[in-house]
Amino acid sequence: MVSPTNFLLHAFLWLALAATAFSLSPNFYHNVCPQALPAIKRVVEAAVHKERRMGASLLRLHFHDCFVNGCDGSLLLDSTSSFETEKNARGNLNSVRGFEVVDQIKAEVDRVCRRPVVSCADILAVAARDSVVALGGPTWKVRLGRRDSTTASRTLADSVLPSASMDLPALINNFKNQGLNKRDLVALSGGHTIGLSQCVIFRNRIYNATNIDPAFAKECRATCPRTGGNTNLAPFDPTPARFDTAYFKNLVKERGLLTSDQALFSGGSTDKLVETYSKNPDAFWVDFGNSMIRMGNIKPLTGKQGQIRVNCRKVN
């Protein structure tokens, strides 16, 4: 007869092995399809070369996917009779983009692997890293092995995606709900060192905020009138096609484009970290990579959960 101690030991070992088997790993596709990651990189580099802004768009897709029920590719699903797409959520509508590039990546990866073995969720995670690198930013080892969800939730996306109007306590709480800390908040916000924002998102700040450099507000108003021009674009920092620390240097000068950007440097608990990143690119790069890995670990589907979609826009 097996003693209770031995039984518990075996149970513990089995659970440990199961956790290992189903945990994410940078080497997940090494044996299954070693050509997968180089294929993703090729398509991302071509897309970013064609349009520099696409790098920021692909990074944002991964972020907005992970914050809604984990990194499971749910953001890529189009509406069906069962659910409404997350693309229609407040933080995504007429704003998230790059889906055609994801389709191109998926087609190329399935071609080189000769079958669908790489999940759409993993494609988003790798494309985010490759986009940052293509724009001169840091690299990190993306952990892989996520599977794709079979549903999406616009309602959840509406309630959990951080808003551009949030103050610091709201932002800290929003990230805490995802298992992310203040350092993750500041580092990941640094993703705004690339890309552009629409006038409708930053209008309120440039006309009504008091913690804004007046010359910067005036400059932004030329792009963004009080009425109309909702989709006019402005960069988050002076070098929107280069992954650098200009975003943080802007915050120190009260030149943050969004309320949620400037909230990170406004007399609160994150001021010191913003200052550090503004002066020390290496510190930002290390923390950004680590925080991307942490974000990529939010509630992944693994093992036999979910599926590997054939088409990223619809459930098999």
Side-chain angles (χ1 to χ4, degrees):
M1 184 175 164
V2 179
S3 74
T5 311
N6 270 345
F7 175 79
L8 284 170
L9 185 63
H10 280 103
F12 176 77
L13 283 170
W14 186 87
L15 283 169
L17 282 168
T20 307
F22 296 151
S23 65
L24 305 181
S25 157
N27 305 321
F28 189 81
Y29 296 108
H30 271 25
N31 296 325
V32 190
C33 181
Q35 308 93 327
L37 268 60
I40 297 173
K41 189 179 182 189
R42 277 197 307 276
V43 181
V44 169
E45 283 179 344
V48 173
H49 180 73
K50 186 178 170 187
E51 185 203 7
R52 305 291 279 173
R53 182 187 173 202
M54 188 52 70
S57 300
L58 292 171
L59 174 60
R60 191 160 179 255
L61 283 181
H62 181 44
F63 185 107
H64 282 221
D65 179 42
C66 289
F67 265 54
V68 185
N69 213 21
C71 312
D72 60 2
S74 59
L75 174 56
L76 302 174
L77 290 171
D78 289 333
S79 292
T80 69
S81 54
S82 312
F83 58 81
E84 185 181 356
T85 178
E86 290 169 19
K87 297 171 190 177
N88 290 345
R90 272 191 303 273
N92 291 333
L93 188 63
N94 299 323
S95 131
V96 282
R97 60 196 292 277
F99 299 107
E100 298 77 12
V101 176
V102 174
D103 292 340
Q104 287 166 22
I105 296 170
K106 177 67 172 159
E108 180 60 12
V109 168
D110 286 358
R111 185 186 72 76
V112 300
C113 297
R114 298 186 178 181
R115 64 195 195 285
V117 291
V118 181
S119 68
C120 301
D122 273 351
I123 284 173
L124 288 182
V126 177
R129 188 268 314 273
D130 291 349
S131 293
V132 168
V133 172
L135 293 172
T139 189
W140 60 92
K141 285 195 169 168
V142 180
R143 294 178 186 173
L144 301 163
R146 298 168 193 80
R147 288 170 65 86
D148 297 321
S149 70
T150 54
T151 188
S153 174
R154 180 210 163 150
T155 314
L156 186 62
D158 273 335
S159 67
V160 300
L161 286 175
S163 141
S165 61
M166 281 182 173
D167 61 11
L168 186 59
L171 288 166
I172 290 169
N173 193 49
N174 181 277
F175 274 63
K176 188 181 174 186
N177 289 340
Q178 300 289 352
L180 300 172
N181 60 31
K182 279 194 262 194
R183 187 171 291 269
D184 297 318
L185 163 64
V186 180
L188 293 171
S189 296
H192 281 177
T193 185
I194 52 176
L196 311 162
S197 182
Q198 295 182 29
C199 165
V200 67
I201 308 292
F202 60 83
R203 178 183 283 125
N204 185 51
R205 170 159 164 76
I206 63 169
Y207 286 100
N208 300 313
T210 52
N211 62 341
I212 190 166
D213 171 49
F216 175 68
K218 189 179 176 185
E219 199 180 297
C220 293
R221 289 171 191 161
T223 310
C224 183
R226 276 188 188 274
T227 53
N230 280 357
T231 56
N232 292 358
L233 297 169
F236 286 107
D237 74 17
T239 53
R242 192 163 73 237
F243 198 97
D244 55 22
T245 56
Y247 169 79
F248 295 108
K249 288 174 179 164
N250 257 18
L251 297 187
V252 173
K253 297 176 197 160
E254 294 197 320
R255 293 171 76 92
L257 187 62
L258 309 182
T259 299
S260 56
D261 290 326
Q262 197 58 57
L264 303 176
F265 190 84
S266 211
S269 58
T270 53
D271 280 18
K272 202 166 181 183
L273 195 51
V274 169
E275 276 194 60
T276 300
Y277 291 160
S278 75
K279 294 169 186 167
N280 188 339
D282 291 343
F284 170 46
W285 281 34
V286 168
D287 284 357
F288 185 79
N290 288 336
S291 291
M292 286 297 291
I293 291 168
R294 280 163 62 83
M295 184 180 78
N297 283 345
I298 298 173
K299 288 166 65 179
L301 299 173
T302 57
K304 293 210 162 84
Q305 299 171 313
Q307 60 182 212
I308 306 295
R309 280 184 222 140
V310 177
N311 176 344
C312 290
R313 293 172 185 259
K314 56 185 189 183
V315 175
N316 295 348

